[in-house]
Amino acid sequence: MMLQINDLNAHYGAAQALFDINLEIAAGETVALVGANGAGKSTLLKCLLGLHKATSGTILLDGKDVTKSTPAQMVRLGVALSPEGREVFAHLSVLENLQLGAIPLKLAKSEESSRIAEIWTRFPKLLERKHQLAGTLSGGEQQMLAMGRALMAKPRLLLLDEPSLGLAPLIVDEIFSIVRQLARGGTTILLVEQNAARALSASDKAYLMANGKIVEQGKSKQLLNNPALRSAFLGAASDDNPAASRLGAAGLTNIRLEKPDMHTHDFMPKFQDEQALKDHQLRGLKWTVSHAYEGSSQYRQKFDEAGISPGSIESLEDLQKLPFTSTEDLRSGYPFPLRAVPFEQIVRVHASSGTTGKRKVLCYTQKDLDDWFSFFARSYQMAGVTPLDRVQIAVGYGVWTAGMGFQMGCEKIGALAVPLGPGNIDMQIQFLLDFQSTVFCSTASMALLMAEEIHQRGIADKIAVNKIIYGSERSSRSMRQKISDLFGGAELFDITGLTELYGPGTGIECTTHDCIHYWSDYYLLEILDPDTLQPLPDGEWGEMVVTSLCKEGAPLIRYRTRDITRIIPGQCPCGSLLPRHSRIRGRSDDTIKFRGVNIYPSSIDTILSEVPGLGSEYQIHLTRDSAERDHLRLVVERAEGVDDRRSAELIHEVVHQVKKQLLVSVKTELMDYGSLPRSERKIQRVFDNRIQDEIV
Ligand code: ZN
């Protein structure tokens, strides 16, 4: 803990102003102290700065007791204040105000100039007004100056007292985006605010104060979504009744929070117990089989051949009697395969981007779309996205499902969508900076490309992305780590989905980052041995086979996805009751058969991830020599900054680990960091050159 306040009491004469205050701030954290005027926030700040003596209790800074320290001592210990009402020197210039802030620090001239230069970079508006008298600045600019002056001390703990007070909403936006950037840059911040909505959305943790006491505390995101607190602190203020709360009355509510019903809407399914879910699934299965039989000639023919009638389904186990559906059925039914409703009821088609053969085309009814957007909103909810987020969508828009799914799900949950589509790196970066997007959605390759661009431009502390939702592609652990690091510590969420089954959003990684929860109220998932097509026990890797439960336009019955995953038994520590599977490990049809061994490319991912010193990019090359012997060559990058002289040792380790774990011998070639191709589309990593015949 950087700061620890224990059982602090304070009085003004006989009147008690603070009652047993306990508050903690860890290094790097932004903590909000929220309360109305007169709640005791200022007294607490004064005690902290040594301006008012506490009656009892202790204040520890880095574990040292500073309860009795003077204001000057606190400054030397690295605590700086940006005061309420700014308190800039009106008759001095902007530059002179900053220089004045540096006097108590007794800095060398060169250090002072370099700190002032940093302030100019952080606040370009102040640089423009460098020689202007501070008294002539706007309120927002004065606030920037007050913050800049406090930052001259390079504080370990920055106290921001009411930074939004009296400022217009647009300026408040600007001030808070600076607060977020400071936080991302590692500054520890105590943010004291009346504007609860703003303070909570800009902080990690918050304490709510009333009448000299801490009345509530916790993670800011959770407090924001707590209905009781919302009405007490944020107000049940609405367009009709803006004065429903104190803050509403003061005109301080954040209008975006007041979208009707959005913040209270829960997209998680509500089943009392497992049996209730099973009953729902059985009803869905019965309906699906009879709907497919009645509505689709393709299904009817398959069922007739297998001796299945709509009445054959009496239990969930009867699923296993049903024939499989495959890519082949989608192709043979082109252009409207598996269609089970009349055209009047179809409101949209989507298609896969399939490059070989005919595209897979899927029909949607209005209900199908509503269902999809609703469970996509659930995916966002599971990743912790709220109406306060700004979601930059960098996946493909058009006939494929991706863009539309991400977009409608985002609007459904009430967040702000930035529908940019893939590619266009310059515009992506510009929007990340200008819009301060908090969530970035893309493929894993695109996320990596963006991460490297952010790193190259050195702007990680100027963007606000804290979540990356990526899908449609496998990703290694080291690639995930790298994306997260270069994005300044963003949290990654792998989202699953396939065009055949609505589109993306049929499941997502939860905050434990160990598994994918899937929406078992919308589809059944089986894991089968891809060769024998027999069910595998929970925990074993096999092919994912899905059956939709309420899909009208083109129902799926035991559809072979070719995706390889496994069921994770038991309940997730995140508390969700929804079942889960592992991240998709590959596709059954991209297994590499090499000298009698089946190798999933993802197992190579895993091995390489575990060798420190290697980068996340690699290629697998397969060749066949004149003696008909197969060879596997791995091309791997060294990690950034790893010396070429370590190559021999790294190669040895890769060869050794592959031999040990996959039981095959490989040749390994090591390249410089950054020399393998990157792409915003799926990166080709497997090059199988063993068959030289032309494919007809
Ligand atoms: Zn979970």
Side-chain angles (χ1 to χ4, degrees):
M1 282 301 146
M2 176 178 281
L3 180 75
Q4 222 171 339
I5 299 181
N6 301 317
D7 301 321
L8 199 78
N9 289 284
H11 292 74
Y12 288 108
Q16 187 158 1
L18 294 180
F19 298 82
D20 295 322
I21 301 293
N22 286 288
L23 182 148
E24 286 184 334
I25 306 179
E29 229 175 13
T30 300
V31 172
L33 181 63
V34 178
N37 211 356
K41 307 187 307 286
S42 310
T43 311
L44 183 55
L45 264 193
K46 282 182 186 162
C47 291
L48 181 52
L49 284 161
L51 291 164
H52 186 84
K53 290 281 162 268
T55 332
S56 64
T58 54
I59 301 173
L60 305 180
L61 188 68
D62 297 317
K64 264 187 12 206
D65 191 341
V66 295
T67 321
K68 300 212 158 51
S69 298
T70 64
Q73 285 167 329
M74 291 307 282
V75 170
R76 279 198 293 279
L77 290 170
V79 179
L81 170 74
S82 165
E84 180 186 347
R86 347 283 183 223
E87 296 179 13
V88 298
F89 295 96
H91 58 286
L92 295 181
S93 73
V94 168
L95 178 61
E96 287 162 338
N97 265 280
L98 291 180
Q99 285 164 337
L100 215 57
I103 288 177
L105 306 165
K106 303 197 174 82
L107 299 175
K109 205 71 203 155
S110 62
E111 176 62 20
E112 182 184 305
S113 322
S114 101
R115 290 194 187 185
I116 289 177
E118 276 177 47
I119 304 295
W120 298 147
T121 330
R122 176 85 55 201
F123 305 95
K125 277 200 178 150
L126 294 183
L127 178 58
E128 287 168 26
R129 313 245 184 284
K130 189 173 171 182
H131 298 296
Q132 202 169 315
L133 293 187
T136 66
L137 298 178
S138 69
E141 289 159 355
Q142 289 191 0
Q143 180 57 46
M144 291 176 198
L145 181 53
M147 287 163 70
R149 197 179 49 194
L151 287 171
M152 282 298 287
K154 290 211 169 177
R156 305 205 45 230
L157 175 62
L158 176 64
L159 309 176
L160 293 174
D161 195 4
E162 304 285 358
S164 75
L165 201 65
L167 300 180
L170 268 180
I171 311 298
V172 175
D173 281 344
E174 203 173 340
I175 296 295
F176 273 92
S177 86
I178 294 168
V179 172
R180 284 193 203 90
Q181 285 167 19
L182 287 171
R184 290 175 65 86
T187 311
T188 311
I189 299 173
L190 177 61
L191 177 60
V192 179
E193 262 289 344
Q194 285 189 33
N195 188 338
R198 293 300 185 121
L200 288 176
S201 57
S203 57
D204 307 310
K205 200 168 85 182
Y207 293 84
L208 308 190
M209 259 189 118
N211 304 321
K213 294 175 185 146
I214 304 279
V215 290
E216 197 67 55
Q217 67 187 75
K219 291 215 165 115
S220 302
K221 276 261 157 81
Q222 279 162 11
L223 293 176
L224 259 180
N225 288 314
N226 176 329
L229 289 175
R230 292 185 57 81
S231 63
F233 279 86
L234 307 173
S238 63
D239 287 348
D240 305 335
N241 188 11
S245 73
R246 267 195 313 258
L247 296 165
L252 288 170
T253 33
N254 181 339
I255 300 304
R256 272 196 59 74
L257 275 169
E258 310 309 333
K259 288 180 187 172
D261 296 333
M262 297 265 185
H263 47 80
T264 49
H265 202 105
D266 181 6
F267 293 96
M268 295 297 165
K270 291 161 199 74
F271 292 104
Q272 276 185 336
D273 51 28
E274 215 184 318
Q275 193 52 50
L277 172 62
K278 285 199 161 143
D279 293 345
H280 166 88
Q281 289 175 328
L282 180 58
R283 275 195 303 277
L285 181 62
K286 283 180 173 173
W287 176 84
T288 297
V289 169
S290 116
H291 172 65
Y293 189 87
E294 301 300 334
S296 149
S297 50
Q298 235 183 323
Y299 273 123
R300 179 181 288 242
Q301 195 187 341
K302 273 166 115 44
F303 286 5
D304 284 345
E305 281 166 13
I308 301 282
S309 70
S312 315
I313 301 294
E314 285 166 357
S315 71
L316 283 175
E317 285 67 44
D318 289 337
L319 175 65
Q320 290 182 26
K321 295 184 193 163
L322 298 172
F324 291 101
T325 312
S326 69
T327 322
E328 203 31 61
D329 295 305
L330 287 172
R331 293 201 177 123
S332 66
Y334 187 86
F336 300 108
L338 311 183
R339 180 176 61 90
V341 296
F343 280 108
E344 307 87 275
Q345 290 183 30
I346 293 172
V347 298
R348 192 189 290 177
V349 291
H350 275 297
S352 72
S353 53
T355 45
T356 51
K358 287 173 184 165
R359 294 181 189 285
K360 299 171 204 164
V361 182
L362 279 303
C363 299
Y364 296 73
T365 65
Q366 187 59 54
K367 180 184 181 292
D368 292 338
L369 294 179
D370 291 346
D371 285 346
W372 179 25
F373 303 149
S374 181
F375 67 66
F376 207 121
R378 179 191 293 179
S379 302
Y380 279 121
Q381 186 182 340
M382 183 153 268
V385 175
T386 73
L388 289 169
D389 279 300
R390 299 173 179 189
V391 182
Q392 188 158 323
I393 302 168
V395 299
Y397 278 80
V399 74
W400 23 86
T401 49
M404 207 66 85
F406 278 92
Q407 170 86 22
M408 301 308 281
C410 172
E411 291 174 6
K412 189 104 185 164
I413 202 161
L416 184 158
V418 183
L420 191 47
N424 221 335
I425 301 292
D426 281 334
M427 206 195 283
Q428 301 281 3
I429 297 276
Q430 190 193 339
F431 283 5
L432 286 183
L433 289 167
D434 294 351
F435 298 165
Q436 292 286 293
S437 309
T438 54
V439 180
F440 186 75
C441 305
S442 70
T443 60
S445 308
M446 173 83 182
L448 180 64
L449 204 68
M450 285 292 291
E452 291 184 331
E453 189 70 22
I454 286 164
H455 178 59
Q456 253 173 28
R457 298 192 190 196
I459 52 168
D461 64 340
K462 296 192 176 60
I463 59 169
V465 175
N466 55 45
K467 293 187 172 73
I468 296 170
I469 299 179
Y470 74 94
S472 87
E473 202 182 353
R474 274 183 305 108
S475 56
S476 66
R477 221 180 317 157
S478 61
M479 181 174 176
R480 283 169 59 96
Q481 188 61 48
K482 182 169 177 194
I483 294 172
S484 169
D485 289 348
L486 298 187
F487 259 96
E491 204 176 351
L492 267 64
F493 294 89
D494 189 345
I495 193 166
T496 56
L498 62 160
T499 311
E500 299 89 313
L501 185 65
Y502 300 93
T506 52
I508 194 168
E509 179 174 336
C510 71
T511 47
T512 62
H513 300 293
D514 266 348
C515 58
I516 308 273
H517 287 275
Y518 70 92
W519 315 144
S520 57
D521 48 339
Y522 286 96
Y523 63 98
L524 299 174
L525 188 151
E526 298 171 87
I527 302 293
L528 304 182
D529 181 318
D531 296 325
T532 65
L533 296 177
Q534 289 306 304
L536 287 168
D538 286 357
E540 287 199 21
W541 295 93
E543 180 177 339
M544 177 165 111
V545 171
V546 294
T547 300
S548 63
L549 293 174
C550 55
K551 206 163 174 279
E552 295 179 338
L556 290 185
I557 292 173
R558 301 196 91 194
Y559 179 71
R560 295 189 56 188
T561 66
R562 308 278 168 183
D563 283 336
I564 300 292
T565 184
R566 62 176 170 182
I567 297 284
I568 303 179
Q571 205 197 315
C572 182
C574 81
S576 171
L577 295 170
L578 285 157
R580 55 214 179 111
H581 62 75
S582 284
R583 277 194 203 103
I584 307 295
R585 174 160 126 171
R587 291 178 53 79
S588 60
D589 40 13
D590 40 59
T591 321
I592 302 167
K593 290 204 193 324
F594 177 69
R595 296 189 189 170
V597 179
N598 281 335
I599 301 174
Y600 293 119
S602 62
S603 47
I604 302 271
D605 274 7
T606 310
I607 291 172
L608 297 178
S609 298
E610 283 164 0
V611 179
L614 294 181
S616 57
E617 278 314 304
Y618 67 93
Q619 290 181 347
I620 300 170
H621 293 267
L622 291 147
T623 48
R624 185 164 290 167
D625 65 19
S626 51
E628 292 290 298
R629 225 177 123 72
D630 289 354
H631 298 276
L632 197 160
R633 185 166 58 95
L634 285 176
V635 183
V636 190
E637 283 184 3
R638 283 187 301 275
E640 198 172 10
V642 170
D643 199 308
D644 182 29
R645 281 171 296 189
R646 284 192 55 204
S647 292
E649 162 216 339
L650 287 169
I651 289 174
H652 178 81
E653 183 63 14
V654 170
V655 172
H656 172 71
Q657 287 301 334
V658 173
K659 178 86 195 170
K660 189 170 127 195
Q661 298 186 39
L662 302 179
L663 311 174
V664 295
S665 299
V666 297
K667 283 212 165 56
T668 300
E669 190 179 320
L670 220 51
M671 322 247 313
D672 286 340
Y673 172 78
S675 45
L676 289 174
R678 267 76 168 155
S679 154
E680 69 212 29
R681 302 190 183 283
K682 289 190 187 185
I683 300 174
Q684 187 185 359
R685 295 200 174 89
V686 180
F687 299 83
D688 194 341
N689 301 313
R690 289 176 296 187
I691 300 159
Q692 298 295 344
D693 304 335
E694 206 174 330
I695 296 164
V696 184

